[in-house]
Amino acid sequence: MNTTLPHPQKANAIRALAMDAVQKANSGHPGMPMGMAEIAVALWSGHYSHNPANPKWVNRDRFLLSNGHGSMLHYALLHLSGYAVSMDDIKAFRQMHSKTPGHPEVGYTPGVETTTGPLGQGIANAVGMALAEWLLASEFNKPGLDVVDHYTYAFVGDGCLMEGISHEVCALAGTLGLKKLIALYDDNGISIDGKVEGWFTDDTPARFEAYGWNVIRAVDGHDVDAVSAAIEAAKKADKPTLICCKTIIGKGSPNLQGGDKVHGAALGDKEVAAVREYIGWSAAPFEIPADVASAWDFTSVGAKLEADWTAKFAEYTAKYPQEAAELSRRMAGELPGNFDAALAAGIASTVEKKENIATRKASQNAIQALAPVLPEFLGGSADLTGSNLTNWKEIVPVRSGKPGNHINYGVREFGMSAIMNGVALHGGYIPFGATFLTFADYSRNALRMAALMKQRSIFVFTHDSIGLGEDGPTHQSVEHVSSLRLIPGLDNWRPCDTTESMVAWGEAVKRQTGPSTLIFSRQNLPYQERSDAQIADIKRGGYVLKEAAEAKVTLIATGSEIELAQAAASALAAEGITARVVSMPSTDVFDRQDAAYKAAVLTKGVPRVAIEAGVTDFWYKYVGLEGAVVGIDTFGESAPAGVLFKHFGFTVDNVVAKVKSVIA
């Protein structure tokens, strides 16, 4: 590790790049990068283990900018240390298709570990990464061969700590004792509205001490040596550490530093010139003096760090070839060779048993069928394991100092979901976590971030409709399924029985390009008979479950309403009206099918009626204005499920009446 003293102008190089890029873009946040420059120098010059030539090196430390609005700090660090972030990329800050978007985005910029901007989620992702590192290390490290051995560092600001999610995730991190998580707090006392003392007077150090964190108080954030010493002390602690760094926002700006005006706007040409004079930076915009560039360059050090680890991993591979291959497979995100066979066996089992059970139970059966071949499964629930049924026979609960494969997240739905995203980003595990569908609202922004980042996080939601029954409208999901379908890149599955549930789980696990939700019922649902061809088509999101010659209507349904659609089709047949039934467990997946397949499922010229125990607006994209939807556009009521379905018109008679009105 490079332990040489930092070049005196290394921090000013960050300040100059940040203010010049924001000035050129005429938008951005120069205050945080200028204020945290020395903190960044301390971490990136003497502690942060990484290789600019290989941003995906398995054993690199993870660095997350939770206060992502200060993205130019990260871009400056990446450029200066030797990543494939050129000066032209810096000049293109916040421009179309650049590597330097307004907030850091994983997949766009080499060296960026997660997408940040929604405050608090970066530190939540960091908890997930530290959790994954600890669990992998516990599983794979051998005496003298710690091949999983890295830290997770996060920069956080006042905004991150004001967001409620920071409480959820940091409390859990303290409880689990994630000692290789180190957060550096930019305590500058300023947010967009001004001095935070009017609305944020928490005793932050005491708060984190109460969580069980190691807290290092009152560090001068502009003293590189003091920050470096604090990081060194944090690395020796037996619990996660918060380093409280007192800083001046926009430091180096003689007329704006310390105030809110420097937070989120370009400084202006006059102030940029004043900064150059004030800090003694004579280089032209977007120019770095050779001696400063040399002092920052980390490529040779980074290459040696990875080479040393590679040699260690070669020794590990020679001694433990099976473990080495397994770790490599999992970090590559590849599924084991026997996964497809296990999934096929699970599907075959559902066909053989033909169970009439709640799909939440069918989900548990699917987990049980797949878990033995997926050691990377990392399950959990937000305090509802016995209701969500995300446990399986071989679970080992994760506890402080005791690694396992199932996490009791507590009543922390948002925190759970964002931690899962961090686990997925780290690699080595396929995380899934559960709560009631109505509490998807608490998790929603983390679901959106999972989709934006294209991560394989699996969100399990049970108790999916008014079928929940007596708990009433506070817990009965009405708008949730349709609203989740609005998130781009999120695959939502609402299966109708055991076979569809097994297929949905299989597709969620196999999907490496984005997250999935699996939405299950509380109440028992009947098994649906299918041909092998129909079973094969389930993975296409929608398929013809009941064909009818010269059909007069197509009934489209999902989940628990498939039972109603089938019964209505039988009643219509008794009246001489032939009806096709289409099961559409995932509209998102169905919409990606080719035009010919979709036309074969939703036959042109045949009127359509959609049936789902939720809001109706979504379904008009399939039925058209000439079709009809049997749904519910009000909140529910407290009553047994059967009473509620009848009250809200989920009856054969009502469906038949709707069909007759449509075909008339």
Side-chain angles (χ1 to χ4, degrees), residues 2-332:
N2 180 9
T3 56
T4 58
L5 289 174
H7 189 283
Q9 288 286 58
K10 288 177 79 171
N12 287 336
I14 296 172
R15 292 190 171 96
L17 287 176
M19 71 175 183
D20 288 340
V22 172
Q23 187 65 27
K24 185 175 187 299
N26 196 31
S27 76
H29 299 77
M32 185 280 264
M34 296 175 74
M36 292 195 77
E38 282 84 8
I39 299 173
V41 170
L43 176 61
W44 280 61
S45 295
H47 299 281
Y48 180 47
S49 178
H50 62 114
N51 181 9
N54 182 13
K56 295 300 184 183
W57 170 33
V58 167
N59 199 48
R60 68 192 181 278
D61 287 341
R62 270 50 169 188
F63 172 75
L64 299 91
L65 196 73
S66 190
N67 41 353
H69 55 273
S71 57
M72 263 311 305
L73 173 68
H74 203 175
Y75 301 149
L77 289 167
L78 293 169
H79 170 75
L80 291 166
S81 58
Y83 285 80
V85 179
S86 69
M87 191 60 81
D88 285 340
D89 294 324
I90 299 295
K91 292 177 182 178
F93 178 56
R94 287 186 162 228
Q95 304 310 301
M96 181 72 78
H97 303 312
S98 75
K99 286 184 181 179
T100 51
H103 291 80
E105 294 187 42
V106 67
Y108 276 75
T109 315
V112 169
E113 300 282 1
T114 185
T115 300
T116 54
L119 293 176
Q121 288 198 65
I123 183 62
N125 295 163
V127 172
M129 291 184 185
L131 174 64
E133 190 276 340
W134 167 51
L135 295 177
L136 279 173
S138 302
E139 186 174 351
F140 287 99
N141 286 351
K142 301 295 183 181
L145 290 172
D146 290 344
V147 291
V148 180
D149 183 18
H150 55 266
Y151 289 89
T152 301
Y153 297 101
F155 283 2
V156 300
D158 288 310
C160 297
L161 299 184
M162 280 188 263
E163 287 285 359
I165 189 174
S166 70
H167 162 68
E168 294 184 28
V169 301
C170 292
L172 185 59
T175 296
L176 295 179
L178 301 179
K179 65 181 181 180
K180 298 182 85 170
L181 171 63
I182 300 173
L184 293 103
Y185 168 33
D186 178 31
D187 182 11
N188 60 40
I190 295 292
S191 67
I192 292 175
D193 279 358
K195 294 183 178 181
V196 300
E197 62 190 21
W199 49 86
F200 182 52
T201 58
D202 300 12
D203 186 341
T204 297
R207 169 187 161 192
F208 275 76
E209 286 170 346
Y211 292 154
W213 284 52
N214 171 48
V215 177
I216 301 176
R217 297 170 176 248
V219 176
D220 182 351
H222 302 299
D223 184 334
V224 172
D225 291 335
V227 176
S228 181
I231 296 171
E232 190 62 40
K235 290 159 73 174
K236 297 174 183 176
D238 61 356
K239 56 183 71 173
T241 296
L242 179 72
I243 301 173
C244 301
C245 302
K246 194 64 182 176
T247 63
I248 299 170
I249 190 171
K251 184 172 174 60
S253 174
N255 301 303
L256 297 176
Q257 63 184 1
D260 58 278
K261 298 292 189 259
V262 76
H263 181 282
L267 302 183
D269 291 333
K270 289 184 178 180
E271 188 65 12
V272 166
V275 171
R276 280 185 152 74
E277 181 178 355
Y278 187 74
I279 66 176
W281 187 264
S282 58
F286 303 107
E287 289 185 6
I288 303 296
D291 59 338
V292 178
S294 177
W296 260 116
D297 182 27
F298 200 75
T299 53
S300 60
V301 177
K304 185 178 187 305
L305 288 170
E306 182 174 357
D308 290 346
W309 178 85
T310 301
K312 178 185 288 188
F313 192 68
E315 181 183 354
Y316 181 89
T317 301
K319 292 183 177 180
Y320 309 101
Q322 185 174 344
E323 289 86 346
E326 177 69 4
L327 177 60
S328 297
R329 175 189 74 78
R330 285 168 55 174
M331 290 304 294

Side-chain angles (χ1 to χ4, degrees), residues 322-602:
Q322 185 174 344
E323 289 86 346
E326 177 69 4
L327 177 60
S328 297
R329 175 189 74 78
R330 285 168 55 174
M331 290 304 294
E334 299 170 354
L335 294 177
N338 57 351
F339 174 78
D340 287 340
L343 176 59
I347 294 171
S349 177
T350 66
V351 175
E352 178 185 356
K353 294 179 180 178
K354 305 183 190 307
E355 293 178 294
N356 300 330
I357 56 177
T359 51
R360 61 170 174 160
K361 179 60 180 175
S363 167
Q364 186 179 45
N365 292 346
I367 295 170
Q368 186 63 61
L370 299 177
V373 301
L374 288 176
E376 58 264 54
F377 254 1
L378 183 60
S381 180
D383 202 50
L384 293 167
T385 303
S387 294
N388 298 145
L389 302 183
T390 49
N391 52 341
W392 64 100
K393 292 178 182 177
E394 298 84 9
I395 69 163
V396 178
V398 175
R399 298 290 185 264
S400 178
K402 298 178 181 179
N405 56 13
H406 190 274
I407 302 168
N408 299 99
Y409 285 99
V411 187
R412 303 182 177 106
E413 295 88 356
F414 191 7
M416 172 184 71
S417 302
I419 288 172
M420 286 166 53
N421 289 343
V423 170
L425 285 158
H426 180 279
Y429 292 98
I430 299 175
F432 62 89
T435 186
F436 289 172
L437 178 58
T438 191
F439 303 134
D441 287 342
Y442 286 157
S443 302
R444 190 176 181 87
N445 203 263
L447 271 66
R448 182 178 187 271
M449 295 302 292
L452 183 63
M453 296 188 290
K454 302 180 174 66
Q455 293 303 302
R456 182 165 48 185
S457 298
I458 301 175
F459 304 97
V460 178
F461 297 120
T462 67
H463 298 62
D464 67 343
S465 72
I466 58 171
L468 173 63
E470 292 86 346
D471 276 346
T474 61
H475 284 54
Q476 291 166 5
S477 302
V478 175
E479 75 278 22
H480 296 80
V481 178
S482 286
S483 70
L484 290 172
R485 291 171 179 145
L486 298 177
I487 299 177
L490 179 64
D491 279 1
N492 302 280
W493 291 85
R494 187 173 182 242
C496 73
D497 69 355
T498 56
T499 301
E500 284 192 359
S501 297
M502 183 67 72
V503 172
W505 261 106
E507 292 305 299
V509 169
K510 288 190 289 185
R511 189 179 188 221
Q512 297 189 36
T513 57
S516 303
T517 72
L518 302 175
I519 300 168
F520 300 114
S521 72
R522 177 197 187 193
Q523 72 273 27
N524 290 345
L525 303 180
Y527 178 79
Q528 301 293 330
E529 294 287 350
R530 300 174 186 81
S531 67
D532 290 343
Q534 287 173 312
I535 292 173
D537 282 340
I538 294 173
K539 66 182 180 182
R540 305 186 76 163
Y543 64 101
V544 179
L545 179 61
K546 177 182 175 60
E547 190 56 275
E550 300 182 3
K552 297 295 191 295
V553 68
T554 296
L555 302 178
I556 310 169
T558 75
S560 52
E561 286 69 70
I562 283 292
E563 177 184 10
L564 175 58
Q566 292 278 55
S570 297
L572 288 165
E575 297 189 35
I577 303 172
T578 53
R580 304 164 74 243
V581 176
V582 168
S583 177
M584 200 174 287
S586 178
T587 61
D588 311 281
V589 176
F590 179 76
D591 287 348
R592 292 200 296 269
Q593 304 306 305
D594 60 78
Y597 179 78
K598 288 188 285 188
V601 173
L602 299 180

